[in-house]
């Protein structure tokens, strides 16, 4: 059993290192530029679930945050979708505006309950909508797709006097739905990695903006197809993404370039920051596993469990 304990200690230590490196919004200090962090609870939560969500978000004192509720009508307003049903809105967010140059950073506090959307997908879509330099935390008390969480992000900005363009928030939702659908459809495909798709989406949006800046006009459908295919190739996805999925990306790109995001210097700055973050994530996961021997240690951990169980039976 000693091996089991030792293996457990190794895994817990590695998990501890990972958790220490993750950032968290500080609710104990008031940010003088934006005040208290803003929490937007899903409108479908009861009082007990709101309390549970606040604990998941690490809020020790409700007086240290500003609170709002996201409703079904908010979803229609910001996302251009939904049937106005507030009862299904479970996912909640905490948002803190940060200094210029910080970029958009998203942390999912309950990954076991946000079943479809990744942190990078949230960040990418939020940038499209006009969110800049903010830390965002997402949590849910039960399993949900997480698609409505952006409603809370936009409501948090509006609650602090920052109005987002409705056309951009709707296109951002299209982006989230398209990338999420592609990720789900290719989850078991060899060579697919959702982080690579996130990086490709960043490249597509940047290339569209740069082409507009260079030519003084929007990209043609042929330009868009070329940009998308190049981005997929750059991220080794050219043999994974289907023609139908490419068509969905083309439709999104056509809508995207018809929003003010295409001419926004801020969007480019946020995309550059996110691109660096995603790239570092892809590289660090591989390097960390190699350098610290995670794969070997985890394999040894499970081997020791089976050995311990076998020994227990042999002793009886």
């Amino acid at each position: 059993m000693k091996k089991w304990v030792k293996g457990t200690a190794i895994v817990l230590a590695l998990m501890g290192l990972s958790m220490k490196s993750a950032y968290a919004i500080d609710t104990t200090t008031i940010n003088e530029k934006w005040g208290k962090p803003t929490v937007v609870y899903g409108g479908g939560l009861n009082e007990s679930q709101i309390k549970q969500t606040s604990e998941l978000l690490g809020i020790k004192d409700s007086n240290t945050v500003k609170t709002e509720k996201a409703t079904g009508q908010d979803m229609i307003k910001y996302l251009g979708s939904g049937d106005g049903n507030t009862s299904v809105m479970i996912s909640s967010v905490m948002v803190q505006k940060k200094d210029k140059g910080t970029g958009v950073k998203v942390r999912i506090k309950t990954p076991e309950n946000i079943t479809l959307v990744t942190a990078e997908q949230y960040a990418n879509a939020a940038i499209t909508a006009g969110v800049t330099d903010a830390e965002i935390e997402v949590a849910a008390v039960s399993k949900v797709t997480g698609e409505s969480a952006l409603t809370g992000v936009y409501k948090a900005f509006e609650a602090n006097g920052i109005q987002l363009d409705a056309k951009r928030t709707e296109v951002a939702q299209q982006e989230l739905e398209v990338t999420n659908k592609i990720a789900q459809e290719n989850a078991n495909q060899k060579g697919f990695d959702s982080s690579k798709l996130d990086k490709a989406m960043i490249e597509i949006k940047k290339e569209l903006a740069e082409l507009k800046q260079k030519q003084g006009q929007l990209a043609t459908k042929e330009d868009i197809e070329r940009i998308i295919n190049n981005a997929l190739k750059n991220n080794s996805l050219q043999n994974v993404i289907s023609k139908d999925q490419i068509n969905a990306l083309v439709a999104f790109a056509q809508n995207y370039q018809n929003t003010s995001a295409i001419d926004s210097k801020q969007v480019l700055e946020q995309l550059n920051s996110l691109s660096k973050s995603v790239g570092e994530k892809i590289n660090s996961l591989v390097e960390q596993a190699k350098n610290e021997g995670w794969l070997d240690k985890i394999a040894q951990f499970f081997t020791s469990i089976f050995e311990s169980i076998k020994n227990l039976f042999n002793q009886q």
Side-chain angles (χ1 to χ4, degrees):
M1 294 297 286
K2 289 182 179 178
K3 287 184 178 180
W4 189 350
V5 173
K6 184 179 179 181
T8 304
I10 290 172
V11 173
L12 290 176
L14 290 170
M15 287 174 65
L17 287 172
S18 176
M19 289 176 70
K20 286 178 184 177
S21 64
Y23 69 86
I25 294 175
D26 183 5
T27 60
T28 63
T29 304
I30 295 178
N31 184 306
E32 293 184 339
K33 290 185 178 179
W34 206 39
K36 301 175 182 178
T38 300
V39 179
V40 182
Y41 293 109
L45 299 176
N46 58 37
E47 288 305 313
S48 174
Q49 290 171 321
I50 287 176
K51 182 179 179 181
Q52 186 181 350
T53 301
S54 72
E55 291 172 354
L56 292 172
L57 290 170
I59 302 167
K60 294 181 174 60
D61 182 354
S62 61
N63 293 316
T64 63
V65 296
K66 181 186 296 187
T67 60
E68 299 280 342
K69 277 192 178 183
T71 67
Q73 288 303 311
D74 289 325
M75 185 182 289
I76 294 173
K77 174 182 176 180
Y78 296 116
L79 309 185
S81 61
D83 58 5
N85 185 0
T86 299
S87 66
V88 299
M89 301 188 70
I90 303 300
S91 52
S92 304
V93 299
M94 180 159 61
V95 181
Q96 178 66 74
K97 195 79 168 69
K98 303 297 288 185
D99 293 338
K100 182 176 172 57
T102 302
V104 176
K105 298 179 180 179
V106 179
R107 183 186 182 199
I108 298 177
K109 302 278 286 195
T110 55
E112 70 282 3
N113 284 339
I114 305 293
T115 62
L116 289 183
V117 187
T118 67
E120 288 75 22
Q121 287 171 353
Y122 279 131
N124 233 332
I127 290 169
T128 293
V131 172
T132 60
D133 300 316
E135 289 184 355
I136 301 166
E137 295 185 354
V138 185
V141 294
S142 57
K143 288 189 181 297
V144 292
T145 59
E147 293 166 292
S148 68
L150 283 177
T151 302
V153 174
Y154 305 150
K155 186 158 188 174
F157 269 72
E158 186 176 274
N160 288 277
I162 301 175
Q163 200 76 32
L164 299 176
D165 183 335
K167 186 173 182 180
R168 284 177 61 172
T169 60
E170 288 182 19
V171 172
Q173 186 64 16
Q174 180 190 6
E175 176 180 355
L176 186 67
E177 291 172 358
V178 168
T179 53
N180 183 260
K181 187 171 187 290
I182 292 174
Q184 294 302 310
E185 290 173 348
N186 291 287
N188 298 318
Q189 289 287 339
K190 183 179 180 181
F192 179 78
D193 185 322
S194 62
S195 292
K196 291 181 180 179
L197 178 60
D198 296 330
K199 196 163 180 291
M201 291 299 293
I202 294 169
E203 290 179 20
I204 291 166
K205 292 189 286 187
K206 287 175 63 178
E207 285 293 320
L208 287 171
E210 288 167 6
L211 186 146
K212 168 74 184 301
Q213 192 175 52
K214 182 179 179 180
Q215 297 185 353
Q217 59 185 19
L218 298 180
T220 64
K221 185 178 180 181
E222 290 72 23
D223 289 329
I224 291 173
E225 290 174 344
R226 173 179 52 78
I227 288 171
I228 289 172
N229 285 323
N230 285 342
L232 295 176
K233 186 175 181 180
N234 290 342
N235 292 281
S236 304
L237 294 173
Q238 71 275 20
N239 296 322
V240 179
I241 306 302
S242 70
K243 181 61 178 175
D244 285 344
Q245 290 165 350
I246 289 175
N247 289 339
L249 290 173
V250 170
F252 157 71
Q254 288 175 319
N255 287 332
Y256 176 81
Q257 70 171 355
N258 280 301
T259 70
S260 60
I262 197 71
D263 296 312
S264 173
K265 183 180 178 181
Q266 282 187 323
V267 166
L268 278 178
E269 290 173 351
Q270 303 300 300
L271 288 175
N272 284 330
S273 177
L274 182 60
S275 179
K276 182 180 178 182
S277 176
V278 172
E280 288 174 351
K281 177 181 177 181
I282 293 172
N283 294 331
S284 67
L285 287 175
V286 176
E287 289 303 313
Q288 204 167 13
K290 289 180 181 177
N291 295 338
E292 299 184 11
W294 283 20
L295 298 180
D296 290 339
K297 289 175 183 177
I298 291 172
Q300 291 169 9
F301 168 57
F302 284 109
T303 298
S304 69
I305 290 177
F306 293 129
E307 285 296 321
S308 298
I309 293 173
K310 185 175 71 173
N311 290 338
L312 281 175
F313 281 109
N314 288 340
Q315 291 171 6
Q316 293 181 5

